[in-house]
Amino acid sequence: MSAVAGKRIVLGVSGGIAAYKAVEVCRRLMDGGAHVLPVLTRGATRFVGRATFDALASEPVRMSLFDEDDPIPHTTLGQTADCVVVAPATARVIGAYAAGISSDLLTATLLATRAPVVICPAMHTEMWEHPAVAANVATLIQRGVHVVGPEAGLLAGGDEGLGRLSSPGDIVAALGRILAQAANPPSETPDMVGLSVVITAGGTREPMDPIRYIGNRSSGKQGHAFADEAASRGAEVTIVTTVGRSGPPGATVVRVDTAAEMAAATTAAAADADMVIMAAAVADFRPVDPVGVKLKKRDGVPDVELEPTPDILAALGASKPEGQILVGFAAETCDVAANATAKLSGKGADYIVANDVTAENAGFAGDTNEVVVLASDGRMLPIGLRSKRDVARAVLDLVLADRKRRDGRQDPSSGGQEHSRYVSNTVSQEIQ
Ligand code: CTP
């Protein structure tokens, strides 16, 4: 899925000959599934017609602070945008933005947003290199504004040099990276730098024939939330997933379908990992002999023989390298604590994250979860209802705190008292 999909993107177009390329930027953003809101300056309309953007974008062109139905179009645009991109950005727009002057709808919107802003300058080399423009651009960069381009090449009037608008492809690619980064900001506590983490996500599908499969309702959201959280804390992440989603920036994503594929990919990646998190719902049974052609209704109810799939978590638990942390999950519909306790010891995991998948607002499809973490030393720690990302954060907080204490204990210079105090304080307390 494109990183711009579903994002509200204000496309500011100011008055330069490169304005015609903004039409292509608009079209590419629309193709990527973005919601594009074009804002043109009066100067822009000397180079491109507003009808072009009216026809291509998600909403009609806006140009004025005063002629719109909305009495405050700049704040509405600024507050609801996921990103504002200005392509081309003229020296005037850059200067007004840097100086905090709102002389039209576009500059007012730039000042009224807290979303990421991307400016794509285009002007003649002499203007780009003028100390005033250079200082304005430096000010904007210092304030966190992203600047894409300009490039060297052919300019208006047959001149050549630095100042040409970046290509629409490069602009849209940069926007995708910036939006992905904004969705997954680096953690304030990068406490997983140097740790490699393997995470599984989604539900495996075991084919009966080329069309049908045995599967489950897992959405992969909890596993992907672990990947996002671990990556934002600096971990080197490998996500083995059945879900067609991109991973966090920098992660290795391995797409699999079946339990056997997940077993092979996870076992290979886990060999050198510091932590393995088995969040996937792995099918327990698969058809022994999936047929190569569609099973036909006219042939009656198929007699599908099933066999167990490999238990990936149990295999990892049985061959766990020294120091590796193994986190399993338990999806239960009743007797959560008892079933999860059995899985903890039965599979050789250090932690089991257990949840009642039938509970309201918890389980597979939603964006929230409510779990209990069982640790191999007998602690049982509830994590109350919260977003899946926050569940991931709380579990990793716990695991990393334990790891730090364990490493501290191995260091003879630090006493073991802190650990026992922590255990007695946290049993049955909710993790914040
Ligand atoms: N798991 C696994 N391989 C399997 C089945 C499960 O690695 N073939 C892992 C899951 O990723 C999860 C844990 O084992 O981390 C528990 O999965 P769950 O479906 O809750 O339990 P099962 O082992 O399938 O046992 P049961 O069906 O009895 O609940």
Side-chain angles (χ1 to χ4, degrees):
M1 196 172 64
S2 158
V4 302
K7 302 292 182 191
R8 283 176 68 84
I9 299 179
V10 173
L11 173 60
V13 185
S14 55
I17 181 64
Y20 75 93
K21 290 191 195 165
V23 176
E24 179 67 11
V25 173
C26 179
R27 197 190 58 79
R28 284 178 184 242
L29 289 174
M30 293 295 295
D31 287 351
H35 187 93
V36 182
L37 304 115
V39 174
L40 270 58
T41 63
R42 279 157 65 90
T45 58
R46 292 180 177 270
F47 299 92
V48 275
R50 60 186 289 176
T52 312
F53 289 95
D54 281 341
L56 284 176
S58 311
E59 297 196 13
V61 166
R62 292 177 176 83
M63 287 188 60
S64 163
L65 276 160
F66 306 107
D67 300 339
E68 314 286 335
D69 293 341
D70 185 346
I72 43 168
H74 57 304
T75 45
T76 308
L77 283 168
Q79 287 167 356
T80 60
D82 291 304
C83 182
V84 180
V85 54
V86 187
T90 57
R92 180 191 73 80
V93 167
I94 292 170
Y97 184 28
I101 296 168
S102 61
S103 49
D104 55 16
L105 179 60
L106 178 56
T107 44
T109 303
L110 285 168
L111 298 178
T113 194
R114 292 190 176 149
V117 172
V118 184
I119 61 164
C120 311
M123 60 196 79
H124 255 75
T125 312
E126 293 81 351
M127 294 173 75
W128 175 246
E129 290 178 350
H130 191 283
V133 175
N136 288 334
V137 171
T139 301
L140 292 179
I141 290 172
Q142 217 172 27
R143 292 181 189 149
V145 172
H146 303 270
V147 178
V148 177
E151 291 175 1
L154 208 58
L155 304 170
D159 290 340
E160 257 191 86
L162 195 61
R164 192 177 156 85
L165 185 72
S166 289
S167 75
D170 286 351
I171 292 172
V172 173
L175 273 176
R177 283 194 300 275
I178 290 160
L179 283 164
Q181 230 170 46
N184 197 34
S187 167
E188 283 168 19
T189 51
D191 51 1
M192 294 182 77
V193 173
L195 292 183
S196 67
V197 183
V198 176
I199 297 161
T200 63
T204 65
R205 295 174 168 194
E206 311 304 327
M208 291 169 63
D209 67 14
I211 292 167
R212 304 180 182 89
Y213 59 83
I214 296 176
N216 59 67
R217 296 180 191 278
S218 173
S219 63
K221 287 181 179 176
Q222 187 62 75
H224 277 268
F226 267 98
D228 290 345
E229 177 62 19
S232 79
R233 294 165 80 144
E236 186 192 310
V237 172
T238 298
I239 180 156
V240 182
T241 178
T242 67
V243 180
R245 257 184 71 166
S246 52
T252 303
V253 181
V254 186
R255 261 289 272 121
V256 295
D257 275 319
T258 64
E261 289 167 5
M262 183 171 278
T266 307
T267 312
D272 301 317
D274 297 297
M275 196 184 291
V276 181
I277 301 174
M278 280 294 306
V282 187
D284 290 323
F285 309 104
R286 66 183 167 209
V288 173
D289 203 6
V291 289
V293 290
K294 187 185 175 193
L295 291 162
K296 296 303 284 180
K297 194 162 51 184
R298 64 170 175 263
D299 297 331
V301 177
D303 185 14
V304 180
E305 194 190 337
L306 301 179
E307 65 181 358
T309 56
D311 192 317
I312 308 168
L313 180 60
L316 293 173
S319 60
K320 198 160 77 78
E322 171 87 32
Q324 185 181 77
I325 298 167
L326 187 56
V327 182
F329 274 68
E332 305 296 344
T333 54
C334 61
D335 300 330
V336 176
N339 285 327
T341 307
K343 282 176 190 170
L344 184 66
S345 54
K347 300 199 185 216
D350 299 300
Y351 301 88
I352 287 283
V353 181
N355 66 344
D356 180 348
V357 288
T358 63
E360 206 181 330
N361 298 323
F364 287 145
D367 293 318
T368 55
N369 213 350
E370 184 173 8
V371 302
V372 178
V373 185
L374 278 70
S376 54
D377 59 10
R379 283 171 297 154
M380 204 179 267
L381 306 137
I383 299 176
L385 186 65
R386 63 197 65 187
S387 72
K388 288 186 170 172
R389 178 70 182 258
D390 285 345
V391 167
R393 185 170 301 134
V395 171
L396 289 177
D397 282 349
L398 168 76
V399 170
L400 293 170
D402 283 357
R403 181 176 183 271
K404 205 167 163 189
R405 264 187 300 278
R406 191 191 61 206
D407 292 351
R409 269 206 318 280
Q410 277 164 7
D411 173 2
S413 62
S414 76
Q417 300 222 326
E418 201 200 333
H419 175 63
S420 49
R421 190 171 63 241
Y422 173 81
V423 170
S424 60
N425 280 345
T426 52
V427 169
S428 287
Q429 274 183 22
E430 182 162 321
I431 300 171
Q432 289 311 311

